[in-house]
């Protein structure tokens, strides 16, 4: 996966017309709060499947006083990819690869992205849905087809839930077809998650103790069996009555959770301090990026929003050194340029002010 060599934004958030030509390595964005730093990272995150690092609606991303739509374009080597919306259809996402229409899931074949944001500080304290999204982002960096399986599983599940809620009763043949689709794509989801967690857990367990905490990982909740597809299909058939009464599907990979522990303290992540939780996430992301680089031959692009501000000087210097030695491309934000004094001279440094980039 090549790095981004050109990024263009049109009417995205507070950026009317922005153009960035970053180099490989560190891309450092500094400026006051509200200048638009995180908006740049969010734009990059939309060049992959999903709703980006904020999880916002598409209409919320268009510039407030703009025409209503937005556009994001990037060059990766000799490939141009882009996404955006039209004013006439503000919630309909359009994707193009080398000028041809494509699905959002197809973006994963060209660009692998991992990110950390301040909002993820609550990842271990809140519900399982956020941890599943985080886990699926890790899986997607390893296995681009994961996005398509997730989309098809969710679509089949929504249709099944609607069918089960109909007062006249569900058509058995149509219900069976939907459950077959859920079993097929749900099995692919579950197996890919299990592969990712196993590989990352092994890598973390064998790493020496360093400046960033080592995380232990395990899947909990609904878990795959030896024959995931057949087992899930049987569970769905058996659960029709309960699911209809509940108004939702009660079995399947959408009920899986990710359990994280602090290996060196043998402590669940949710009981660790805020600083320790951030260190766990950072160490986990860095280790996963190394694993993806070995597996796919290119490092994923990292988006680290306001990470440096929460590290002491020693850990901040260690992070910048590790990112520089690892290669690839990492986009980082911070309010103070001094946070990145230890960054190499080769870093791309940009200053933002009210949507303008210098």
């Amino acid at each position: 996966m090549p790095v981004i060599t050109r990024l263009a934004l049109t009417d995205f958030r507070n950026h009317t017309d922005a153009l960035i030509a970053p180099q490989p390595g560190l891309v450092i964005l500094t400026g006051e709060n509200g200048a638009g730093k995180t908006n740049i990272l969010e734009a990059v995150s939309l060049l992959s499947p999903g709703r980006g690092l904020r999880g916002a609606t598409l209409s919320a991303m268009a510039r407030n006083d703009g025409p209503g739509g937005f556009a994001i374009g990037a060059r990766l080597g000799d490939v141009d990819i882009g996404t955006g919306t039209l004013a006439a259809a503000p919630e309909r996402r359009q994707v193009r690869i080398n000028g041809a229409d494509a699905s959002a899931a197809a973006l994963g074949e060209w660009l692998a992205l991992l990110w950390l944001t301040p909002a993820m500080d609550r990842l271990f304290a809140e519900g399982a849905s956020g941890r599943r999204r985080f886990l699926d982002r890790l899986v997607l960096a390893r296995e681009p087809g994961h996005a398509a399986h997730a989309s098809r599983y969710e679509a089949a599940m929504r249709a099944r839930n609607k069918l089960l809620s109909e007062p006249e009763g569900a058509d058995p043949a149509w219900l069976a077809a939907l459950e077959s689709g859920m079993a097929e794509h749900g099995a692919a989801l579950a197996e890919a998650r299990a592969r990712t967690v196993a590989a990352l857990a092994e890598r973390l367990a064998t790493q020496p103790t360093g400046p960033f905490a080592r995380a232990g990982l395990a899947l909990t909740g609904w878990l795959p069996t030896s024959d995931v597809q057949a087992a899930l299909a049987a569970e769905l058939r058996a659960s029709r009555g309960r699911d209809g009464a509940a108004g939702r599907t009660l079995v399947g990979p959408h009920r899986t959770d990710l359990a994280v522990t602090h290996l060196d303290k043998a402590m669940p992540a949710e009981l660790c301090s805020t600083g320790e939780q951030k260190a766990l996430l950072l160490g986990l992301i860095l280790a996963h990026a190394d694993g993806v680089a070995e597996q796919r031959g290119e490092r994923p692009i990292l988006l680290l929003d306001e990470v440096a501000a929460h590290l002491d000087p020693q850990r901040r210097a260690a992070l910048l050194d590790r990112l520089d030695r690892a290669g690839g491309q990492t986009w980082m934000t911070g309010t103070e340029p001094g946070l990145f004094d230890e960054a190499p001279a080769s870093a791309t440094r940009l200053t933002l002010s009210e949507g303008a980039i210098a």
Side-chain angles (χ1 to χ4, degrees):
M1 287 162 284
V3 299
I4 295 173
T5 57
R6 182 181 185 273
L7 178 70
L9 311 183
T10 303
D11 294 319
F12 182 79
R13 296 289 190 181
N14 68 327
H15 297 284
T16 304
D17 187 14
L19 179 63
I20 300 174
Q23 299 297 312
L26 299 182
V27 182
I28 298 170
L29 309 172
T30 58
E32 296 180 353
N33 292 328
K37 305 182 299 295
T38 303
N39 294 341
I40 298 288
L41 267 58
E42 182 181 30
V44 176
S45 74
L46 288 169
L47 297 172
S48 67
R51 295 173 59 182
L53 57 79
R54 281 191 174 111
T57 61
L58 291 171
S59 58
M61 300 176 192
R63 187 164 58 88
N64 284 338
D65 54 350
F70 69 87
I72 303 166
R75 177 160 297 164
L76 315 168
D78 57 357
V79 177
D80 291 315
I81 64 175
T83 189
T85 63
L86 299 175
E91 290 296 345
R92 182 181 178 185
R93 184 177 181 182
Q94 296 187 331
V95 173
R96 291 189 176 180
I97 300 175
N98 281 338
D101 291 337
S103 68
L107 291 170
E109 299 288 345
W110 298 99
L111 196 60
L113 291 165
L114 297 171
W115 56 72
L116 283 179
T117 70
M120 293 169 66
D121 290 351
R122 302 186 297 272
L123 190 70
F124 302 124
E126 296 186 345
S129 61
R131 290 186 290 276
R132 276 194 301 273
R133 288 192 296 271
F134 175 70
L135 172 58
D136 285 336
R137 175 59 47 185
L138 299 180
V139 178
L140 185 60
R142 282 172 45 97
E143 304 186 31
H146 190 68
H149 288 298
S151 176
R152 291 166 185 165
Y153 176 84
E154 292 287 342
M157 183 169 63
R158 286 193 300 269
R160 178 180 181 269
N161 290 342
K162 182 178 179 181
L163 202 60
L164 288 174
S165 69
E166 293 180 355
E168 63 273 16
D171 176 8
W174 181 229
L175 196 57
L178 291 172
E179 290 172 350
S180 176
M182 286 182 66
E184 176 188 353
H185 299 294
L189 285 179
E191 291 165 350
R193 287 171 176 171
R195 285 191 295 269
T196 295
V197 167
L200 183 52
E202 181 180 3
R203 174 175 290 274
L204 287 164
T206 57
Q207 281 188 342
T209 301
F212 306 109
R214 297 186 305 147
L217 306 177
L219 292 173
T220 63
W222 187 90
L223 296 176
T225 63
S226 56
D227 189 346
V228 186
Q229 185 169 339
L232 179 54
E235 287 186 62
L236 289 169
R237 285 193 301 272
S239 187
R240 289 175 183 176
R242 290 190 305 134
D243 294 351
R248 64 187 188 278
T249 301
L250 299 174
V251 296
H254 63 287
R255 307 284 290 182
T256 298
D257 198 356
L258 177 67
V260 180
T261 58
H262 191 310
L263 280 181
D264 299 314
K265 288 191 169 185
M267 180 183 293
E270 62 269 24
L271 300 182
C272 294
S273 70
T274 301
E276 288 172 329
Q277 291 180 9
K278 186 178 289 290
L280 284 169
L281 279 172
L282 186 54
L284 196 157
I285 287 290
L286 293 174
H288 191 57
D290 292 341
V292 172
E294 290 180 7
Q295 181 206 18
R296 298 184 64 172
E298 298 271 358
R299 290 184 67 79
I301 291 177
L302 303 184
L303 308 177
L304 306 180
D305 192 19
E306 300 289 351
V307 168
H310 300 279
L311 298 175
D312 58 48
Q314 181 182 359
R315 285 184 171 84
R316 189 162 60 237
L319 172 63
L320 294 170
D321 177 66
R322 180 167 174 174
L323 292 171
D324 180 45
R325 287 186 290 105
Q329 191 176 61
T330 300
W331 298 61
M332 305 181 73
T333 67
T335 55
E336 300 294 333
L339 293 170
F340 305 100
D341 283 346
E342 289 86 0
S346 59
T348 301
R349 298 174 184 266
L350 303 170
T351 302
L352 279 72
S353 177
E354 297 181 357
I357 302 174

